[in-house]
């Protein structure tokens, strides 16, 4: 691995690597982390700096960082992601390597990450799991995290977002600062780490993994910041928000298809294997179509808002949708649906009039009333959704 040295008095732009360590009351372990990172930088003749991004410590962590000569960055906004954002923003290096201050990561591994970054990788992720060549020391990772949470979420990231990463939760990773700026990270909590993986995958970045060893948390006076079920739910929630197609579109399309199937069976009054499909089947079919139709529109809304908020990168499919479906097109479609639906309802009223507003053959009449009411409801939903799409499209363009 090639090396570069730096004189602390030289221009700060000559710094190649910034090691960013987020900190919140880590007095038990911070000193070892800072010293180890400084040793890795010094012994490998790396032009680097160590940054401690403090998130409001009151246990002496600040004094430790200053005493050891680390660059201290105060980050008042609370959250793991906020601390890292503040530290990375202050970093002067071309490359960033981040690692937690709890003593679980060995900062002597820094050269291995830097070597991959110098080879041109945008993101270099540490992998603690044996499946990726890593090692978890006894007592270093809770059983639920090691065998259930981490493997499942990593697999979801691979399947849903085509991520090559096998350990998405690993807090030790390296990346180009230019790549980080392109990601435009928004999550200020624990989702920061998974947001980086998902966005990097969606942008098609060049990623690599480095097998590392996870050591037991060295803190004695403070419990770990992670909460298994709370943070697990937050990760799942973020995954779903980043894939409106799976959360809204796919379920919506399935419901619409089920509704169409119910109509195909119930309108002609078919009997299959002794089962008669009639008016009640129409009602269930209408319910499925109404829910599915709304879910499809929510997929468009969610995708558009996620792009606007910087959670997802731009998508040409959304661009084409906004270029094709505008307010006028939506209103025309809605008008056609409502006119046809009202026509069916008028026919049902006419049948009622023909029997002097007395008792009706409900099995026959419901074949007019249910589709008519459904079309009117779908038309009304289309009007509301068309206006919402118009609002989103104005800012989107």
């Amino acid at each position: 691995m090639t090396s570069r040295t730096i004189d602390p008095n030289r221009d700060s732009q000559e710094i190649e690597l910034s090691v960013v360590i987020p900190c919140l009351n880590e007095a038990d372990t911070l000193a070892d982390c800072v010293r180890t990172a400084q040793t890795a930088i010094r012994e490998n003749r790396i032009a680097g700096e160590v940054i401690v991004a403090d998130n409001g410590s009151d246990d002496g962590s600040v004094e430790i960082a200053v005493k050891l000569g680390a660059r201290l960055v105060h980050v008042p906004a609370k959250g793991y992601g906020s601390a890292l954002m503040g530290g990375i923003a202050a970093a002067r290096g071309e490359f960033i390597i981040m690692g937690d201050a709890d003593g679980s990561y060995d900062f002597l591994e820094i050269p291995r990450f830097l070597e991959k970054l110098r080879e041109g990788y945008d993101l270099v992720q540490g992998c603690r799991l044996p499946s990726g060549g890593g090692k978890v020391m006894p007592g270093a990772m809770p059983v639920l995290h090691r065998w259930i949470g981490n493997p499942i979420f990593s697999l979801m990231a691979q399947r849903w977002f085509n991520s090559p990463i096998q350990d998405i939760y690993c807090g030790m990773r390296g990346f180009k600062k230019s790549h980080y700026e392109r990601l435009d990270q928004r999550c200020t909590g624990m989702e920061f780490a998974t947001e980086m993986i998902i966005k990097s995958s969606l942008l098609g970045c060049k990623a690599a993994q480095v097998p590392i060893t996870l050591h037991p948390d060295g803190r004695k006076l403070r419990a770990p910041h992670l909460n298994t079920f709370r943070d697990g739910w937050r990760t799942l929630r973020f995954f779903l928000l980043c894939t409106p197609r799976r959360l809204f579109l796919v379920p919506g399309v399935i419901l619409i298809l089920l509704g169409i199937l119910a109509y195909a069976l119930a309108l002609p009054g078919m009997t299959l294997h002794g089962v008669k499909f009639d008016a009640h089947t129409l009602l269930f079919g209408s319910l499925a179509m109404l829910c599915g139709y709304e879910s499809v529109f929510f997929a468009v809304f969610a995708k558009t808002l996620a792009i606007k908020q910087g959670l997802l990168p731009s998508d040409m499919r959304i661009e084409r949708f906004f270029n094709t479906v505008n307010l006028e097109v939506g209103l025309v479609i809605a008008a056609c649906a409502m006119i046809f639906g009202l026509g069916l309802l008028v026919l049902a009223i006419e049948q009622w009039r023909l029997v002097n507003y007395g008792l009706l053959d409900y099995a026959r009449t419901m074949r007019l009333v249910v589709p008519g009411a459904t079309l009117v409801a779908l038309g009304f939903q289309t009007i509301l959704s068309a206006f919402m799409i118009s609002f989103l499209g104005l800012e989107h363009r």
Side-chain angles (χ1 to χ4, degrees), residues 91-103:
R92 297 174 292 189
E94 175 188 358
F95 304 124
I96 311 290
I97 292 179
M98 55 178 261
D100 298 341
D102 59 7

Side-chain angles (χ1 to χ4, degrees), residues 9 18 20 41 67 72 183 232 241 243 293 296 310 338 344 358-359:
N9 297 318
S18 296
V20 178
I41 290 172
K67 181 179 179 181
L72 181 68
L183 295 179
L241 292 176
T243 177
Y293 191 70
V296 168
M338 295 185 77
L344 292 176
L359 294 177

Side-chain angles (χ1 to χ4, degrees), residues 243-368:
T243 177
R245 179 167 62 91
R246 286 182 171 83
L247 181 59
F248 296 118
L249 183 61
V250 172
V253 170
I254 291 174
L255 285 172
I256 290 174
L257 292 176
L258 288 174
I260 293 173
L261 176 62
Y263 265 61
L265 294 172
L267 280 177
M270 293 180 63
T271 300
L272 294 177
H273 302 290
V275 178
K276 176 70 174 179
F277 298 96
D278 213 319
H280 293 89
T281 305
L282 280 178
L283 287 171
F284 277 90
S286 292
L287 177 63
M289 282 196 286
L290 288 169
C291 293
Y293 191 70
E294 192 68 19
S295 185
V296 168
F297 272 112
F298 261 84
V300 177
F301 301 154
K303 181 78 170 183
T304 305
L305 288 172
I307 293 172
K308 287 179 178 297
Q309 295 300 318
L311 289 176
L312 293 177
S314 298
D315 191 325
M316 290 303 299
R317 292 171 296 183
I318 290 295
E319 296 287 347
R320 288 194 294 268
F321 179 85
F322 276 95
N323 290 331
T324 304
V325 181
N326 53 35
L327 177 60
E328 292 73 24
V329 171
L331 293 179
V332 169
I333 294 173
C336 292
M338 295 185 77
I339 290 171
F340 191 58
L342 288 171
L344 292 176
L345 294 177
V346 169
L347 286 177
I349 294 173
E350 177 62 14
Q351 287 189 356
W352 190 26
R353 186 189 66 81
L354 292 176
V355 295
N356 296 317
Y357 303 104
L359 294 177
L360 291 167
D361 180 356
Y362 287 107
R364 178 184 175 189
T365 309
M366 292 292 277
R367 285 180 170 78
L368 297 173

Side-chain angles (χ1 to χ4, degrees), residues 211-240:
I212 63 172
T213 299
L214 180 70
H215 301 272
D217 188 326
R219 292 172 295 193
K220 301 179 180 62
L221 301 177
R222 183 179 178 87
H225 299 297
L226 286 174
N227 181 290
T228 298
F229 295 102
R230 180 198 65 196
D231 292 320
W233 160 245
R234 288 170 64 178
T235 299
L236 177 60
R237 179 184 65 184
F238 184 73
F239 271 35
L240 291 172

Side-chain angles (χ1 to χ4, degrees), residues 80-82 85 185-192 195 238 311:
Y80 174 75
S82 294
M85 288 178 184
Q185 298 246 179
R186 298 302 179 92
C187 292
T188 60
M190 298 304 298
E191 299 93 337
F192 178 92
E195 180 188 6
F238 184 73
L311 289 176

